[in-house]
Amino acid sequence: MDGSAWQRSLAPHAPSLIVVLALAVAVVSLASFLDTVGTLGLGVFPVLSLLLCLSLAAGLLGLARWLSTCDLPVEDTWSVVRWCLGGMGGFGALSALTVAIRLLEGRAVGGAALGVIVVGAGGGIGGGVAGIYYARANRAAREADHRRDALVFLNSHLRHNVLNATQVIQGYASLLAERTDGADEHLVPIRRRSDAIASLIEDVKRLSDVFSGEHEPTSMNVSPVLLRAVDEAREAHPEATFEVDVGPELDVMATDAVSAVFANLLRNAVQHHDRAEPTVRITAEHDGRTVSVIVADDGPGIRDEVKADLFESSIGSGEGRGIALVKTLMNHYGGDVAVRDNDPRGTEVIVEFRRPPR
């Protein structure tokens, strides 16, 4: 239950407090009107002044009615009341201070009460409206936190159980391969699919870290990460040639999940090749504000109509999952990813990172 004990006990009376303020504005306005009429006589401008003040009082009554029918929690209800009181008190005090300064300067101040009433009541209405938006934003933030916590739990629970099951499948597949000397053709799809599931779980883990906001980009040297990804790609694809021209220091804004960016780009460069012995070249370029890593292959290239929507595929879209993961992570890093034709043949994928602030 939200709010302190006294707030909960007085919550039903919170709108009444604003009603009292509205009635006070109306009474003071009427008294000021009668005083003006008694001094200057009845006229158009005193009547307009009274109508203005009464409309502001009606605005406060409308705010009170909204509070009495809304579904805001107790804490948020009192936030609206505090904003209303703060707006009325703050603007009223500023108006009164202005009048006081003029009086101290020896100036005549006529109709000062009207100005204080109008500014104070207007500040109360404005403060109440701001309080409503503030309360709604707080509630939305709390609900988002609850949904995030639930998703983090479900994600962790799913990853744990699916990964355990996948490891069991991989273990039994390895045992079966030893018994059959790897000759059973049914083992190949089992091992390939189980490896794909394990890879998918790892990708989901990286994405959950991004979406949970727990890992924000920081300054890091990604050169060792990139070189390690190249070594792993060489081991996984011995038929491919990987040429690397990257310096020992590539300081960029990223997270540990950046390894997935390089791993997916290298894997795509080989898997979508049309030759038995593909060649992949990895280079890096610097400028004053960014660092770009270019992964270029000598494969069949990408059709122009495919390039237009290449980075729009969703995470769960099968073949496009890897490039979608790259795009998601680069967006999180405040960087970018682009694709262009390689010369004379193939594709270049460029991931552009922000350099750390100096």
Side-chain angles (χ1 to χ4, degrees), residues 12 38 44-45 53 72 125 132 145 175 183 224 228 236 325 338 347 350:
V44 175
F45 292 107
C53 294
L72 287 178
I125 295 173
I132 291 172
D145 286 341
L175 291 175
R228 185 164 56 250
L325 174 65
T347 301
I350 306 97

Side-chain angles (χ1 to χ4, degrees), residues 58-232:
L60 289 172
L61 289 174
L63 176 62
R65 177 171 177 76
W66 183 88
L67 272 181
S68 66
T69 58
C70 72
D71 59 346
L72 287 178
V74 171
E75 183 179 353
D76 290 339
T77 299
W78 282 105
S79 290
V80 176
V81 174
R82 286 194 294 268
W83 276 81
C84 179
L85 293 176
M88 178 173 284
F91 280 86
L94 286 175
S95 180
L97 180 62
T98 302
V99 172
I101 291 174
R102 288 179 176 272
L103 289 174
L104 291 174
E105 291 174 344
R107 301 183 185 183
V109 181
L114 175 64
V116 174
I117 294 171
V118 170
V119 173
I125 295 173
V129 172
I132 291 172
Y133 282 101
Y134 175 80
R136 286 179 170 174
N138 271 349
R139 181 169 64 176
R142 287 196 300 269
E143 291 174 351
D145 286 341
H146 294 158
R147 287 194 295 270
R148 185 195 68 182
D149 292 342
L151 288 175
V152 168
F153 169 76
L154 291 174
N155 175 50
S156 176
H157 183 69
L158 180 63
R159 285 204 324 263
H160 174 76
N161 288 280
V162 174
L163 186 57
N164 284 346
T166 303
Q167 290 173 342
V168 171
I169 293 172
Q170 291 174 324
Y172 277 103
S174 297
L175 291 175
L176 189 56
E178 293 176 1
R179 291 188 177 186
T180 61
D181 295 328
D184 191 337
E185 62 180 7
H186 297 95
L187 284 174
V188 176
I190 292 175
R191 302 182 76 169
R192 184 170 62 246
R193 290 297 180 182
S194 60
D195 290 344
I197 293 173
S199 176
L200 174 61
I201 294 171
E202 197 61 33
D203 288 347
V204 169
K205 179 181 183 301
R206 294 186 177 103
L207 287 175
S208 67
D209 291 341
V210 170
F211 295 143
S212 66
E214 296 178 0
H215 298 274
E216 292 299 321
T218 58
S219 175
M220 63 180 296
N221 180 14
V222 296
S223 182
V225 181
L226 176 56
L227 296 177
R228 185 164 56 250
V230 172
D231 290 338
E232 292 173 355

Side-chain angles (χ1 to χ4, degrees), residues 260-292:
V261 172
F262 302 136
N264 275 283
L265 293 182
L266 295 172
R267 182 166 55 247
N268 284 344
V270 176
Q271 288 181 347
H272 297 288
H273 212 285
D274 60 344
R275 292 177 175 174
E277 298 181 352
T279 298
V280 181
R281 181 170 175 78
I282 304 97
T283 57
E285 297 177 354
H286 305 251
D287 64 25
R289 302 178 61 183
T290 63
V291 172
S292 297

